[in-house]
Amino acid sequence: MSNFISVAEARDMSGLRIVLTPGIPGPWSESAKGIFGVKKLDYAWVEQVVGGENLDLIDWTAQATAPVAVWNDEPPRATWIEQLYLAERLAPEPKLIPDDFEDRMRMMSFCHELLGENGFVWSRRLQILHPTMTNPEAPPEAQAFATYFADKYLYEASRAEKAPEHAAGFLRSLAAQLGTQKAKGSKFLIGDQLSALDIYWAACATIVQPLPHEQCPMTDDFRTMYSTVGPVIEAAIDPALIEHRDFIYAEYLTLPLDL
Ligand SMILES: N[C@@H](CCC(=O)N[C@@H](CS)C(=O)NCC(=O)O)C(=O)O
C-alpha cells in the first residue's frame, strides 16, 4: 500500500496532494485514483480517517470526506467534477471529457447520476444505512457508525426506502447506453474512446459487486456491505456492465487498494 502522509504534512507541501481513505475501496476515492492514475499524474497520498473527526482536514478543506484533490495553493477540490476538471487541466491527455457537445452532455449526466448527490452511489449508501438506522436492537457500535454517516450524508428513511429502485434505474439506463454503444461498434460508454464515465463506472461497480478478493482484499464487513444489494438491484445488474468494469480495470486502471 502506498505511504500515506498526514494532513499536517500535506499542507506544508506544494504540488498535487490527494486525500484518500486507506484500506477501503470507496467508490469516490477509487474514482479519483482512476482519473489521476490514467493521466499518470503523481501525487502525495494523504490520510482521511473513516468515521473520525478529521479536524485537520476540516481546517484545510472545509469538509471532512475523501477524496479531496489539492493543487499547490489553489482551493481544495472535494467533488468529483472539480477533481475531473483539475486532472484534465494538469494533464490534457488522455482526454477524458469529450469535445463533442452531445457526448459531453450525456457523459456528464451519467457521471452526475453515478457520483453526485442523490445519485447511484449515494442511494446505495442510504440503502446500506437503512437496516441499522431502523433497528433499535442493532449493536451500539453499528448504530454509532451508521448514525455518523446518516447525519453526514442526509439520511432520511423515506428516501432510503426508494434507494434500491433509484439505483436500479441508473443501472438499467447505463446498461442500455452500453448496449447502444456496442451496437455502434464502440467498446466504450461514450463516443469511441475512453472517457471519465468508463473509469467512474469501473470504480463504482464495487458498491454492488466488488472485484474478487484476490484483486481487492477488502475486509469481510465491507465486502458484505457492498455486495448485499437486495432483489431490485440484483435484477438490474446486467452482466455486460460487470464485463465492462473488468475490461476497464484490465486495460486502464490499477487495482483498488493499490496492490
Ligand atoms: N465529496 C464527494 C463525495 C465524497 C464522499 O461522499 N466520501 C465518503 C464516502 S462514504 C467518505 O469519505 N466517507 C468517509 C467519512 O465520511 O468518514 C463528491 O461529492 O464528489
Side-chain angles (χ1 to χ4, degrees), residues 6-254:
S6 68
V7 166
E9 288 170 289
R11 267 187 106 152
D12 285 341
M13 294 167 57
S14 57
L16 185 60
R17 291 139 291 164
I18 304 189
V19 182
L20 298 161
T21 315
I24 300 173
W28 284 280
S29 287
E30 292 304 324
S31 291
K33 280 167 61 187
I35 296 292
F36 286 92
V38 160
K39 287 180 173 287
K40 305 215 178 327
L41 287 161
D42 280 335
Y43 53 89
W45 295 50
V46 187
E47 180 172 9
Q48 188 258 12
V49 181
V50 70
E53 282 188 297
N54 293 293
L55 296 177
D56 282 359
L57 183 58
I58 294 174
D59 193 50
W60 189 28
T61 70
Q63 58 86 61
T65 55
V68 190
V70 190
W71 171 243
N72 290 335
D73 55 1
E74 292 186 9
R77 292 176 163 81
T79 56
W80 66 270
I81 191 163
E82 295 172 296
Q83 290 157 13
L84 176 58
Y85 275 101
L86 174 65
E88 199 80 340
R89 172 159 60 95
L90 298 183
E93 298 295 334
K95 186 179 252 306
L96 296 177
I97 302 176
D99 277 336
D100 179 80
F101 183 78
E102 294 295 327
D103 282 348
R104 192 166 66 250
M105 246 185 8
R106 182 167 287 264
M107 189 197 82
M108 286 299 183
S109 306
F110 270 115
C111 289
H112 174 73
E113 289 300 323
L114 178 57
L115 284 168
E117 189 159 333
N118 295 324
F120 170 74
V121 182
W122 194 288
S123 299
R124 277 288 292 136
R125 184 164 55 196
L126 294 181
Q127 184 194 11
I128 287 168
L129 296 174
H130 194 50
T132 310
M133 293 303 289
T134 48
N135 176 13
E137 308 295 314
E141 322 79 66
Q143 287 197 26
F145 195 72
T147 304
Y148 166 86
F149 282 95
D151 290 348
K152 205 165 169 184
Y153 300 112
L154 315 174
Y155 167 88
E156 274 172 31
S158 58
R159 261 192 311 121
E161 276 155 21
K162 293 184 194 132
E165 183 46 42
H166 196 93
F170 172 82
L171 290 172
R172 288 191 292 267
S173 200
L174 193 69
Q177 172 70 14
L178 186 60
T180 305
Q181 287 290 103
K182 280 191 172 169
K184 286 186 199 163
S186 173
K187 294 190 291 185
F188 303 100
L189 277 163
I190 300 287
D192 55 10
Q193 64 188 56
L194 182 76
S195 77
L197 181 60
D198 295 297
I199 296 171
Y200 289 152
W201 165 246
C204 293
T206 187
I207 202 79
V208 290
Q209 198 172 119
L211 288 164
H213 182 79
E214 312 75 70
Q215 293 178 312
C216 182
M218 60 208 285
T219 64
D220 289 346
D221 283 356
F222 266 87
R223 181 167 291 281
T224 303
M225 196 161 79
Y226 280 14
S227 51
T228 306
V229 297
V232 175
I233 292 179
E234 192 68 57
I237 304 175
D238 186 326
L241 288 176
I242 302 302
E243 278 163 30
H244 191 66
R245 181 270 307 267
D246 293 343
F247 159 63
I248 297 297
Y249 265 107
E251 296 291 322
Y252 300 102
L253 302 179
T254 54

